[in-house]
Amino acid sequence: ILNVEQSPQSLHVQEGDSTNFTCSFPSSNFYALHWYRWETAKSPEALFVMTLNGDEKKKGRISATLNTKEGYSYLYIKGSQPEDSATYLCAFMKGRWGAQKLVFGQGTRLTINP
Amino acid sequence: DTEVTQTPKHLVMGMTNKKSLKCEQHMGHRAMYWYKQKAKKPPELMFVYSYEKLSINESVPSRFSPECPNSSLLNLHLHALQPEDSALYLCASSQVRMVQGGQPQHFGDGTRLSIL
């Protein structure tokens, strides 16, 4: 894979259900994978910076895993709430510290139905 | 409230105008970024400043001119823009630490730019 790809592009989930989506990225020359949440009319908010193969990070009901060998990361949301409605962006970091270059995926637009 | 402040929030300008976008942060971050985001597309990196020096220019046309006058401020000067330059322009900042994986970026709310 040459670019960052996210799937699905959009997702509708019932309140209380759990969900997950995928980010695929180049598996060579890996430095980091970032996850951001972007709510409408707000600024993107950093969720996780993931660096090590097998990494698992958690923030409240949201967690993420990382597989650098096969080039994918999963984001999980447990017990979805209306406030989870947002676009979730992953970004592959190119280059090293000092001048980060993030290449973003298209995002997964999540809508939680009450 | 976002810790990165961008002004103005909206800007409409003609193709012959000169205007500037401003970005300010007081988190002590020494890396600052400009991104361009078109509708239904991801943010695309334009410029990176590290310690007030331009470190990345993603082959951006010269009608966009960045400036970093000090560690808290980042400007984007606009001149003779084209209609296709209409987009959301996002500013971000981050720490510059020599750790693997870099630092999360903190984004402003963006400036919505429309070129007539």
Side-chain angles (χ1 to χ4, degrees):
Chain A
I1 189 167
L2 299 177
N3 292 313
V4 182
E5 296 176 4
Q6 291 188 245
S7 63
Q9 286 190 5
S10 66
L11 195 53
H12 290 254
V13 173
Q14 215 49 39
E15 183 177 352
D17 288 351
S18 296
T19 187
N20 64 84
F21 26 92
T22 308
C23 173
S24 301
F25 53 85
S27 55
S28 59
N29 299 317
F30 177 83
Y31 288 105
L33 193 283
H34 293 214
W35 280 101
Y36 292 84
R37 173 170 61 199
W38 195 356
E39 294 180 62
T40 303
K42 294 189 177 180
S43 54
E45 172 199 0
L47 290 174
F48 307 112
V49 175
M50 309 188 76
T51 57
L52 298 174
N53 185 43
D55 233 0
E56 181 167 343
K57 297 211 170 183
K58 191 174 179 181
K59 187 176 182 176
R61 295 179 290 98
I62 304 177
S63 60
T65 60
L66 180 68
N67 183 323
T68 60
K69 294 187 191 310
E70 296 182 40
Y72 64 84
S73 175
Y74 292 136
L75 191 81
Y76 299 90
I77 301 178
K78 188 177 176 182
S80 303
Q81 299 297 309
E83 60 265 28
D84 296 328
S85 295
T87 296
Y88 291 82
L89 294 165
C90 69
F92 178 73
M93 183 183 148
K94 284 187 168 184
R96 290 196 161 191
W97 37 259
Q100 299 176 35
K101 177 179 173 178
L102 289 182
V103 178
F104 283 87
Q106 299 267 36
T108 292
R109 188 177 192 91
L110 176 66
T111 304
I112 308 301
N113 301 317
Chain B
D1 287 340
T2 184
E3 296 171 342
V4 176
T5 304
Q6 289 188 244
T7 54
K9 291 195 184 307
H10 302 274
L11 180 61
V12 179
M13 58 187 284
M15 289 190 282
T16 57
N17 292 158
K18 281 186 182 180
K19 296 283 185 184
S20 297
L21 308 185
K22 296 188 184 302
C23 175
E24 189 168 3
Q25 57 88 15
H26 294 287
M27 294 177 282
H29 292 170
R30 302 303 294 276
M32 296 187 77
Y33 313 80
W34 280 115
Y35 290 89
K36 175 182 178 180
Q37 195 251 339
K38 301 278 279 184
K40 300 189 189 302
K41 299 281 188 183
E44 287 184 3
L45 184 67
M46 299 175 72
F47 303 104
V48 180
Y49 274 83
S50 181
Y51 293 102
E52 295 85 68
K53 289 192 183 338
L54 184 65
S55 56
I56 296 179
N57 176 342
E58 289 289 284
S59 302
V60 179
S62 59
R63 56 187 185 267
F64 295 91
S65 175
E67 179 196 20
C68 190
N70 60 56
S71 59
S72 300
L73 288 174
L74 184 67
N75 298 321
L76 186 64
H77 302 299
L78 314 172
H79 175 55
L81 293 194
Q82 303 297 308
E84 62 265 26
D85 297 321
S86 298
L88 180 70
Y89 289 83
L90 289 164
C91 172
S93 69
S94 72
Q95 294 180 352
V96 181
R97 264 202 233 149
M98 298 183 185
V99 293
Q100 184 184 3
Q103 299 295 311
Q105 294 185 12
H106 297 250
F107 284 84
D109 290 338
T111 294
R112 177 79 57 190
L113 177 65
S114 298
I115 308 300
L116 300 178

